Every structure is written in structure tokens, then in C-alpha cells.
Amino acid sequence: MATRDWNADSYDSVSVPQQEWGAGVLARLSLRGDETVLDAGAGTGRVSEIVLERLPRGHLIAVDGSQSMAQRARERLPADRVSVICSDLLTLELPEPVDAVISTATFHWILDHDALFARMRALLREGGQFVAQCGGEGNIARVRSIGEAVSSRPTFREHLAAIGEFWHYAGVEATRERLVRAGFDVSACWLQPAPTTPPAPREFLETVIFAPYLEHLPAELHAPFLDATLAELGQPVVLDYQRLNWDARAR
Ligand SMILES: C[S@@+](CC[C@H](N)C(=O)[O-])C[C@H]1O[C@@H](n2cnc3c(N)ncnc32)[C@H](O)[C@@H]1O
């Protein structure tokens, strides 16, 4: 089953910060080169591509819930060494357990981390690595409060008053406990401040951070919403990212 769709072309061009974070996460994965690795929330496959460089004799399973993102990953990645699957991670089934799961910039988009971690554990072999990074406690707190303030203005309020929560920015202790409950030994779990100025701030806000807001607004209000948030953010645009990381192994 697919999840909400993304603008894959735009994400591919603006996701420089995610690619840099992804490379750092990948460096924590210990690989011989012949393993099967699941990239959970692979997006357009840019981080998957560098995972693949570490798997000269192995196989990569790149999973994403957005049809456009999965299609872009399929175009990017070699079909003989990579299986691209469009699926919600919460319901993903694989024929064989994998040796490792890597995930970057994805899990905060999934609200039920207990269900998510249980699913990842079920897909891993005993001893398999689970190395991940996503938005954590306090992530983009300033950007979010600006988004909420702009949403409450009369022009936008009727469309955005009841949109609910899109993100789960979990803390270190809650995550460590959840991982242990799901059947993982956790060697490290930490928050890392990552203030970021994206290369194309307006497009980045449109495609990544405020995309779920814009989906609830009529097209003619997209530009005014982005103008208003950018005005509040000021110059230079600095997004107050806080990345939650963990290195764990399936018990
Ligand atoms: C910010 S992108 C990160 C993509 C890639 N890992 C990267 O670092 O560039 C987040 C991705 O998570 C995917 N995603 C969000 N919720 C998902 C779910 N429940 N199942 C599968 N994919 C999901 C989205 O479709 C999107 O492609």
C-alpha cells in the first residue's frame, strides 16, 4: 500500500542536506559487501546509491511509500542489484530476513514508532544491524511554530485549523526504551543539532517541510503561505534541525 506522495523531481534537487546526513549514517553501518540491506524510506534513491557502493557482492532493497519517489529510485538504481518496492513500511513483508536496515530522514513521518520498530525487527535476522537517523525531539521547533502562527492567520485558518500532526519527533529515552521493547540491543542513541541552510530555501520548504500543509490549501494560497513563512524565518534561512540517531542490533 502506498503512503502520501512526494514531488520526487523537486526532492531530488533540494535534498542536499538529507544526502549529507545519509552519508554520515551509512558510515556507521559495518558491512563486508555481500549482505542484503534494506533502505527503509529510500526516497529517490540518492542515499541508496551510496549504500550500494558498499555492497559490491550484496543486494539492496529500497522501500518507499510514495509512488513518485519509488519510481524515481527505480530509474536511478541498477535493477540487477536493487529491488525497489513501493510500500508502507508499517506493512512491509519480505521473503527473507535482511542483514541490516538503514533509514535516513524518514521515521519522523511515521507516527507509531512501536509498530514501526516491531516491523523492522521482524524483517531483520538475529544480530542484524538497525542504523537510523530521523528528526528527533525539538526538531525544527522554530520553523514549526512559524508554520503554526502563519496557519492561524485568517487567510489560511479555515483550511489548516484541523490538519492534525504529521510528524513524530521522539526523544532519546523513549526511543531507546521502544527499541529494547521491540527486540533490539541499543549501543547508542543520541540527538544531534544540525542547523541547516538548504540550497533553495523556498523550494525546500515547499517540497519537504510544508508540503503536508500545502496539500490542504487551494493552489492560489501556496505562494502566499510560503512568502509569509519565509518572511518570518528571516535571512539567512536557518532551519533548526535536531537529528535523532541510533545504532542497534536485533536480539
Ligand atoms: C525526507 S524523505 C527521505 C528519503 C531518503 N531516505 C533521503 O534521505 O533522501 C522521507 C521519505 O519517507 C517516505 N515515507 C514516509 N512515510 C513512509 C511510510 N509509512 N512507509 C514508507 N515510506 C515512507 C516518504 O515517501 C519519503 O520518500
Side-chain angles (χ1 to χ4, degrees):
M1 195 184 62
T3 58
R4 62 175 278 276
D5 210 12
W6 283 58
N7 181 339
D9 286 339
S10 174
Y11 183 78
D12 211 44
S13 75
V14 298
S15 58
V16 176
Q18 284 86 348
Q19 289 159 41
E20 288 172 2
W21 297 332
V25 178
L26 175 61
R28 307 195 320 249
L29 201 58
S30 145
L31 291 172
R32 291 183 312 263
D34 60 354
E35 294 90 342
T36 296
V37 175
L38 166 63
D39 185 354
T44 59
R46 278 193 180 270
V47 176
S48 321
E49 208 166 31
I50 56 170
V51 179
L52 199 58
E53 286 171 14
R54 303 265 316 272
L55 289 174
R57 302 171 305 285
H59 193 78
L60 180 68
I61 303 173
V63 174
D64 201 277
S66 151
Q67 290 184 342
S68 307
M69 294 291 234
Q71 182 53 34
R72 196 78 181 77
R74 232 170 249 126
E75 288 158 13
R76 163 163 289 122
L77 301 165
D80 56 333
R81 299 175 55 209
V82 184
S83 312
V84 177
I85 301 172
C86 182
S87 167
D88 188 337
L89 289 166
L90 290 172
T91 55
L92 179 66
E93 307 262 2
L94 296 174
E96 303 285 340
V98 298
D99 298 302
V101 173
I102 183 168
S103 182
T104 62
T106 293
F107 287 163
H108 55 275
W109 290 97
I110 298 173
L111 300 182
D112 187 345
H113 280 192
D114 286 310
L116 174 67
F117 294 171
R119 187 86 300 266
M120 294 301 109
R121 175 63 192 88
L123 298 173
L124 270 163
R125 70 162 168 80
E126 205 177 307
Q129 297 167 81
F130 185 22
V131 171
Q133 185 190 95
C134 61
E137 190 168 17
N139 196 47
I140 55 166
R142 177 167 176 262
V143 183
R144 278 189 290 155
S145 74
I146 288 172
E148 280 161 26
V150 171
S151 299
S152 68
R153 291 184 188 170
T155 323
F156 307 112
R157 196 166 44 212
E158 65 168 301
H159 306 286
L160 299 177
I163 54 176
E165 195 50 81
F166 313 109
W167 303 300
H168 177 45
Y169 293 133
V172 168
E173 278 322 306
T175 298
R176 189 184 281 276
E177 284 167 18
R178 275 196 190 103
L179 286 164
V180 170
R181 266 201 310 276
F184 291 98
D185 289 327
V186 184
S187 57
C189 182
W190 71 100
L191 275 173
Q192 168 191 5
T196 298
T197 298
R202 186 187 177 87
E203 188 177 349
F204 190 92
L205 291 178
E206 181 176 14
T207 299
V208 181
I209 296 183
F210 289 130
Y213 289 64
L214 298 175
E215 282 166 12
H216 288 83
L217 285 175
E220 66 273 17
L221 290 182
H222 289 196
F225 184 87
L226 291 169
D227 291 342
T229 51
L230 278 163
E232 292 296 324
L233 278 164
Q235 288 293 334
V237 172
V238 180
L239 308 175
D240 52 336
Y241 276 107
Q242 284 279 349
R243 312 308 295 168
L244 173 67
N245 294 270
W246 63 87
D247 295 344
R249 276 188 189 269
R251 280 200 298 277

